[in-house]
Amino acid sequence: MTASQTARQLARAELTRAIKASATRQLGETGAAALSLRAVARDLGLASSALYRYFPSRDALLTALIVDAFNAIGAAAEAAAVGPAAPGARWLAACRAVRRWALAHPQEFALVYGSPVPGYQAPPDTVDPATRITRLLAALVLEAHAQGQLRPPAQPLPGPGLITRRVLDPLGGPPAAPYADLVERSLTLWISLVGTVGFELFGHLDAVVTDFDAYFDATVVVAAEAVGLAVPLGE
C-alpha cells in the first residue's frame, strides 16, 4: 500500500466518522424518521453527490448507525462482565453498563430501542450486533447453571423452543430439564432491562421513583429471580 493510498483511506475514515456524527446530532434534533442525507451534507459543507459515495441511501446510513450503536452497547456490557466474580455479580455489572451507555447516548439508544423508523427495514447484518447482549446475558445464566448457582424454576414456561437456533447454537443449544427454558427466561430479563432503561431515559419514571440508581438495581434483582439467579447488591 502506498502512502497516498493510506492517506486516502484515513481521509475516507475520518469523513465517514464525521458523517455519522452529523447524522447522530440530527437524530437528536429531528428524529430518525426525518434523517436526511442532504441535511447531513449541508451540515458538513459537502455536495450531496459526495455524500452518496459514502452512503448510497438514507437507509444505508441508518443501518451503519444502528450497527455502531448495537456494537457499542454490546462492547460496554461485555467489558463490564469480565472478571472472576460470580455470574450474578457480572450480570449486574453488565446491566449497569447498559444503563450508563444509554444515559450517555440517548439518541443512539432511542434509534435501536425506540419506535421503528417508518419505511426502514433492517437488513440481516444488523442481527448479530442486535443479539450481542442477549447472547452475553444468556451465557452468564448458563454459566451460573453449570456452577450449580441457580434455583430451579417453580413453574416451567409453556412451549419449549421459543428461541431461534441463531441464538441457541452459539450457546450449545438449550440446557436440559428442569432448566430447559433458561434461554427464554434470560430473554425476558433482557426485555426488562431495556424497558427499565427506556422508561427512565424517556421520562416515564419522573415523579414515580425516588432513586433512579437504586430502582434500576431493584428491577435487575427482581427480574433475575425469574431464572433463579442471585444478584448481589452493594457491589
Side-chain angles (χ1 to χ4, degrees), residues 91 111 157 222:
W91 174 287
L111 174 64
L157 295 176
V222 170

Side-chain angles (χ1 to χ4, degrees), residues 3 8 29 34 40 43 62 90 92 97 110 119 134 136 154 163-164 166 173 175 200-201 226:
R8 286 197 297 271
E29 296 168 359
V40 171
D43 180 45
L62 271 177
R90 287 156 55 210
L92 176 60
T134 308
L136 168 67
I163 304 298
T164 66
R166 187 182 191 114
E200 177 183 358
L201 190 64

Side-chain angles (χ1 to χ4, degrees), residues 31-220:
L35 180 64
S36 164
L37 287 179
R38 291 184 179 275
V40 171
R42 286 196 301 271
D43 180 45
L44 298 177
L46 299 173
S48 298
S49 57
L51 198 65
Y52 282 100
R53 290 199 294 269
Y54 290 79
F55 296 98
S57 67
R58 181 210 67 163
D59 285 4
L61 178 54
L62 271 177
T63 296
L65 296 176
I66 289 169
V67 169
D68 284 354
F70 277 134
N71 279 327
I73 197 171
E78 290 164 359
V82 172
R90 287 156 55 210
W91 174 287
L92 176 60
C95 291
R96 285 172 170 171
V98 169
R99 175 175 177 251
R100 286 194 301 270
W101 186 93
L103 295 178
H105 304 87
Q107 289 86 7
E108 293 95 323
F109 183 87
L111 174 64
V112 293
Y113 294 117
S115 300
V117 179
Y120 174 77
Q121 183 67 41
D125 56 353
T126 62
V127 174
D128 281 341
T131 58
R132 188 168 169 174
I133 300 180
T134 308
R135 295 194 303 269
L136 168 67
L137 300 183
L140 288 172
V141 171
L142 293 175
E143 180 183 335
H145 168 50
Q147 296 176 4
Q149 297 183 19
L150 290 184
R151 296 184 302 275
Q155 179 177 336
L157 295 176
L162 301 175
I163 304 298
T164 66
R165 300 304 310 183
R166 187 182 191 114
V167 175
L168 286 177
D169 287 346
L171 301 172
Y179 297 98
D181 57 8
L182 264 183
V183 182
E184 283 86 350
R185 290 175 180 272
S186 299
L187 182 57
T188 68
L189 297 181
W190 169 233
I191 294 170
S192 174
L193 168 61
V194 172
T196 302
V197 171
F199 262 55
E200 177 183 358
L201 190 64
F202 303 136
H204 300 304
L205 294 180
D206 293 350
V208 175
V209 301
T210 58
D211 186 322
F212 289 113
D213 293 344
Y215 182 75
F216 176 81
D217 284 356
T219 63
V220 172

